[in-house]
Amino acid sequence: MTEQPARSAHRFRRRATPLAAWFVLAACGAATRPFSWQATAMVAAAALAGMVLAFRVRIERPPSTARLRRGTAVWSALLVAASAWEVYALLRQPALNRPSHEHPTLSTLLDPALEQWPLRFAGWLLWLAAGWWLVSR
C-alpha cells in the first residue's frame, strides 16, 4: 500500500528535476550580459550537455525512402547555408564579443528583442526547449 505514494513521488522527482534545471539554467543565462564570456560559457555548457545526451541515446534508423532522402538533403542544405552565414558574419565582426550591424549574426538580430530580462528569460527557455526537443527526437 505504501508503494503507490513512493512510486508517484519518484515519478514527480523524475519530472521535476529536469524542469527545475531548465528554469535555473534559463535564469542564469538570462542574467548574463549579451556577448560576454559568461553568456558564451552558458551556451557552450548547454550545447555540450545536449550533445552528450544526444549521443548517449540509441538511434533507431527509419527505413530509407526517396522522400526521407530528399527531406534530409533539403534540411541539410538549409542548415549548412545558415551555419555558413553565421560563421561568415561572426568572422567579419570587429571583435568576437562586439556585435556588428554591418555583418549581423542571429544573436545580433535578436538582441534588441531580448533586451529586457523577462524576454531574455523567455528566449533562453525557448532555446533550451528547442534544443531538448531536437536531442530527444
Side-chain angles (χ1 to χ4, degrees), residues 61-113:
R61 297 194 181 267
S64 182
T65 63
R67 182 177 181 202
L68 178 63
R69 285 191 298 275
R70 279 193 311 272
T72 302
V74 168
W75 281 106
S76 297
L78 289 172
L79 182 63
V80 167
S83 298
W85 173 51
E86 279 288 307
V87 169
Y88 174 77
L90 183 66
L91 295 177
R92 299 290 295 173
Q93 293 182 144
L96 293 179
N97 62 350
R98 202 165 12 132
S100 167
H101 295 291
E102 290 82 31
H103 302 285
T105 61
L106 188 58
S107 298
T108 305
L109 294 173
L110 289 174
D111 193 44

Side-chain angles (χ1 to χ4, degrees), residues 4-134:
Q4 182 65 17
R7 199 176 308 155
S8 65
H10 175 70
R11 198 173 320 143
F12 174 77
R13 274 193 305 272
R14 227 178 73 223
R15 289 183 181 165
T17 301
L19 190 62
W22 179 47
F23 274 96
V24 168
L25 188 58
C28 290
T32 62
R33 209 175 71 245
F35 306 106
S36 66
W37 70 267
Q38 294 94 341
T40 303
M42 292 289 298
V43 169
L48 181 64
M51 284 190 287
V52 167
L53 288 172
F55 286 116
R56 199 180 73 169
V57 176
R58 184 175 212 127
I59 297 172
E60 292 181 28
R61 297 194 181 267
S64 182
T65 63
R67 182 177 181 202
L68 178 63
R69 285 191 298 275
R70 279 193 311 272
T72 302
V74 168
W75 281 106
S76 297
L78 289 172
L79 182 63
V80 167
S83 298
W85 173 51
E86 279 288 307
V87 169
Y88 174 77
L90 183 66
L91 295 177
R92 299 290 295 173
Q93 293 182 144
L96 293 179
N97 62 350
R98 202 165 12 132
S100 167
H101 295 291
E102 290 82 31
H103 302 285
T105 61
L106 188 58
S107 298
T108 305
L109 294 173
L110 289 174
D111 193 44
L114 301 176
E115 235 173 282
Q116 303 299 319
W117 192 88
L119 295 175
R120 283 182 56 77
F121 179 68
W124 271 87
L125 285 174
L126 286 172
W127 181 73
L128 291 168
W132 179 254
W133 181 78
L134 286 171

